[in-house]
Amino acid sequence: MAKKLKKVDVVVVGSGWAGGVVSAELAKAGYQVVTLERGKKQERQDYIGVKDELRYTDRYEMMQNLSPETITSRVKIEDTALPVRTRAEMMAGTDLGGGSVHWAGATYRWRAIDFELRSKTIERYGKEKIPEGMTIQDWGITYDEMEPYYDKWEKTAGISGEPDPLGDKRSNDYPNPPMLASPAVKLFKETTKRMGYHPFQVASGNLSQAYTNPDGEKLNACMFCSYCTMYGCDFTAKSDPLATVIPTARKTGNCEIRTNSLVRRVLHKDGKATGVMFTDTRTGIEYEQPADVVVLGAFSFTNNRLLMLSDIGTQYDPTTRKGTIGRNFNGQFNITFLGARGYFEKKKFNLYMGAGALGGTMSDFAGDNFDHSDVDFINGGGIEMRQYGDGAISTNHVPKGTPKWGPEFKKNSIHYANRSLVAWYTPAVMSWWHNYLDLDPTYKDEYGDPLLRVTNRYTDHDRNMAKFGIEKCSEIMKEMGADIIDEDEVPEEFDHIYSGGHYAGGIIMGADPETSAVNNYLQMWEMDNLFVVGGSAFPQFGGHHPTSTIGALAYRAAEGVEKYLKEGGQLAEAKQATLNA
Amino acid sequence: MTEPRQPEDTQKGISRRNFMKNTGLLAGGLVGGSLFGGLLTNQLQKPSAPADMGKEDTHLLEARTFFSNAEDFLILSAATERLFPKDDLGPGAIELGVPYFIDRQLAGEWGMNGKEYMKGPFLQTGAVDPYESQADTTQDQGPNAETQVPTPAFRYQTPMTRGDIFMEGVHALEQTAQEKFEMNFRKLEPEQQDEILQMFDSGKAKMNGVASTTFFNLLLQTTIEGAYADPVYGGNRNMEGWRMKEFPGPRMSYTADIEKEDFIVMKPESLRNYQGH
């Protein structure tokens, strides 16, 4: 029998940007909040002196331990899904602060068109531009409505950047100026400018100067030490929940954060959530945490699985294409980040220096910034060149044709260690009727609960977009002066590699309860006091990295929870999406 | 309580611990590796140049903790050296300590797949068939390790841990050498060793449990890791791997240099330097 705890106003599952922002905002507003995190406690002190490539990059120190639980994966509905067993194949953040602690820091707002992709595409190109089976939809919220939340999150995080010359309207500049640019980044920016494009410096969660955010949290200037992506920052110079919203929530005295607390069910009765059931992973003791409002602010896989295990909402069924839970799985992986690598004979760059978000980018081939009449895809993405700060183990790029081991490999890998740059395209991944999430019939976690199953395959649309991007990256690399250019190959099929951490969808936003699970406050249509926050809400992916959209949505959701606590009821009016008919 | 005597203590006729006690180093907290090593080198052994300061640590890293059979370990060592050979650029895998690095990795959490999902049922692929049938037609379709280029195949679908795969793999190297050249793998000419390794790389060698490519990719991955990981893990001896690559090791900050056009070569520093010992 689960041990029943004292009821609180709000229980939040997850402590990353999604759960962290909601926890901080509601605690600031005076509500009693309990935040449950399945991972361990971590803080800045845990990262001092541990710049260790093997441990963090190669052995995935900060990623979820898959031994108790993973996902299963398959390409087609008729296939048998198999578990994704190793952390090289499945990277998901864990511990206090979530995946946001090891993020690189590259920060983009999504474009106005991303939020109204379906209607705007039809408006500009006609209905036939959207292929049969593509299940993209409008978000039920516009960019203009999202703008204040983006602005708020950027200020909390202390984002350092310069505006995108082709970007949408902003109410304010970034709170901090862009980071210093390395010669490689300058070369990218100067070259693409000469080519007639509109480059700018990647906006970054690696801070360009010391900064105090509106909640009074102090952050330091980035040291370009190179240990960002896959690492926690030892200098509080990378904006993450540990440096911002978690201390903010704690300071109020209204928020109790419990680590090692694995939420396994959302409890509900008569169409209302009553709280959550969780297990303390150290003792095995089960607890019931009752609350007026339940917020799922965990990773998108976890949000989906929790609803499915708790039997909330209607599971999506690909054969009827009805049901909303698990619908529109999407993300940014594999077929995204393809581009071209250039090898330079006359130039040598200090590539061991860098920062997670140090880079140049351009959005000339993103959203509807270019004409799609003659291309066989919709939307698009940024082109980026980043200088993360190369580690010695991972820097073994050699021109195609070099053997992958032996004397020639050794010679070339050493020669080109500081002579190769890569530019890639980050195309928006669209949603399809055949890509979805449900529970696996065979494989189970350590408690005997079914694992989440992903069904995902590529389409010609994905491959066309990737090929387009590779070509553009290759042209840029040539103009930059590379002597050898190796283009990435477009994979034929999804390879079950869940790297990079950007998986989304399943509990998507919209205006129509027939095709969305949550309204534009991230409140469930079917359960007024349950909010599901995070990448799980994306109806389809945008053409840039997701973090600031998750942060902005979390502020939107926090506002919604507060509104619900005051007024109750459904916060948005359901609309029949005529365009989807 | 008495401290268990280590073999080298006997050789030198003095306990390390007693030595430190006697000189007051332990009480003073000055047990840092280089000082410790340096003192031993300078005071207890034959006089040598200060450049050998790290030498004592190197010796301490040389003991097997996973491979119980010395012959298996020598086969592994010979294979790593072919993947990353000594040349005029610098040391190869053996001199860098790569075999010891791999040995320790296999003895730990990674080698035991401690943080991996290892529950069944497991995919029955052609790779396990050799137990029942010697036909190797399905060998190419076996599960692939994580160092391989992306393919639609599911990668890790075996109940074998990485440690198990290495043991099977090393035995398969030797068996292939016997079948093909009727000789020990490690006694073959380098070209012959390469030929065998090529068979493993392309999945054409016979192995129990997994495709030979799976083992080969793990071997290649760990060889590269051993050459370039921080020396604290037993490879990259004396940071020679980093020196070849002009990699400086962990540093506090590059703010002062990030905008500089010229390539900057720094003397490498390890985690031991970085953490302040």
Side-chain angles (χ1 to χ4, degrees), chain A residues 463-530:
Chain A
R463 289 181 278 259
N464 295 340
M465 187 147 44
K467 277 177 200 151
F468 173 86
I470 290 168
E471 202 176 295
K472 299 293 172 203
C473 292
S474 190
E475 285 164 19
I476 291 168
M477 216 29 95
K478 188 162 180 247
E479 283 296 315
M480 284 170 70
D483 297 282
I484 303 168
I485 296 166
D486 282 343
E487 294 184 355
D488 286 333
E489 280 162 31
V490 177
E492 273 308 303
E493 198 37 88
F494 180 53
D495 61 359
H496 311 287
I497 297 299
Y498 295 81
S499 56
H502 301 170
Y503 332 108
I507 310 161
I508 65 177
M509 282 173 81
D512 180 356
E514 288 289 310
T515 54
S516 61
V518 293
N519 67 25
N520 66 18
Y521 282 101
L522 292 305
Q523 179 187 31
M524 283 201 73
W525 292 113
E526 295 190 31
M527 202 171 273
D528 291 347
N529 67 337
L530 177 57

Side-chain angles (χ1 to χ4, degrees), chain A residues 183 215 256 285 287 361 382 397 425 432 474 512:
Chain A
D215 294 318
E256 185 202 344
I285 296 173
Y287 294 90
T361 185
H397 306 292
Y425 195 41
W432 299 82
S474 190
D512 180 356

Side-chain angles (χ1 to χ4, degrees), chain A residues 49 52 59 83 348 352 443, chain B residues 121 157 225 233 246 264 275:
Chain A
D52 181 346
R59 300 284 180 264
K348 213 168 163 188
Y352 55 83
Y443 293 95
Chain B
Q157 295 295 339
E225 285 170 349
Y233 293 102
E246 300 175 308
I264 302 164
Q275 292 177 358

Side-chain angles (χ1 to χ4, degrees), chain A residues 259-431:
Chain A
T259 46
N260 302 100
S261 299
L262 175 73
V263 176
R264 292 173 45 217
R265 292 290 186 282
V266 177
L267 304 169
H268 56 103
K269 206 183 165 190
D270 305 327
K272 272 202 145 183
T274 56
V276 298
M277 187 273 278
F278 69 95
T279 301
D280 184 315
T281 56
R282 294 162 301 194
T283 60
I285 296 173
E286 283 182 12
Y287 294 90
E288 182 186 335
Q289 177 60 65
D292 286 329
V293 172
V294 173
V295 178
L296 302 187
F299 192 51
S300 52
F301 285 153
T302 305
N303 283 352
N304 272 281
R305 185 162 175 261
L306 268 176
L307 288 188
M308 292 172 193
L309 289 177
S310 309
D311 203 17
I312 295 172
T314 314
Q315 170 68 47
Y316 173 74
D317 177 353
T319 54
T320 60
R321 303 195 191 181
K322 290 201 184 333
T324 53
I325 308 301
R327 190 174 185 272
N328 280 25
F329 171 69
N330 66 86
Q332 192 185 34
F333 45 97
N334 306 105
I335 209 155
T336 54
F337 306 108
L338 295 183
R341 181 173 289 279
Y343 296 89
F344 297 78
E345 291 302 337
K346 291 185 206 78
K347 282 197 177 80
K348 213 168 163 188
F349 305 95
N350 291 304
L351 295 181
Y352 55 83
M353 305 176 188
L358 174 63
T361 185
M362 52 179 252
S363 60
D364 295 76
F365 299 109
D368 59 349
N369 286 350
F370 63 113
D371 186 49
H372 289 66
S373 306
D374 294 329
V375 295
D376 39 15
F377 60 86
I378 62 168
N379 210 324
I383 288 180
E384 276 191 348
M385 203 214 65
R386 303 259 286 272
Q387 186 170 337
Y388 289 92
D390 285 341
I393 301 169
S394 49
T395 312
N396 285 292
H397 306 292
V398 288
K400 268 180 197 162
T402 304
K404 66 177 183 184
W405 52 275
E408 201 184 335
F409 165 78
K410 185 184 173 190
K411 201 173 122 238
N412 278 355
S413 61
I414 289 170
H415 175 70
Y416 289 111
N418 288 292
R419 295 174 188 273
S420 99
L421 300 174
V422 65
W424 60 44
Y425 195 41
T426 58
V429 169
M430 299 292 98
S431 297

Side-chain angles (χ1 to χ4, degrees), chain A residues 121-132:
Chain A
T121 300
I122 291 172
E123 203 176 283
R124 190 166 168 186
Y125 301 102
K127 210 168 174 178
E128 56 283 2
K129 187 74 183 174
I130 300 175
E132 204 286 315

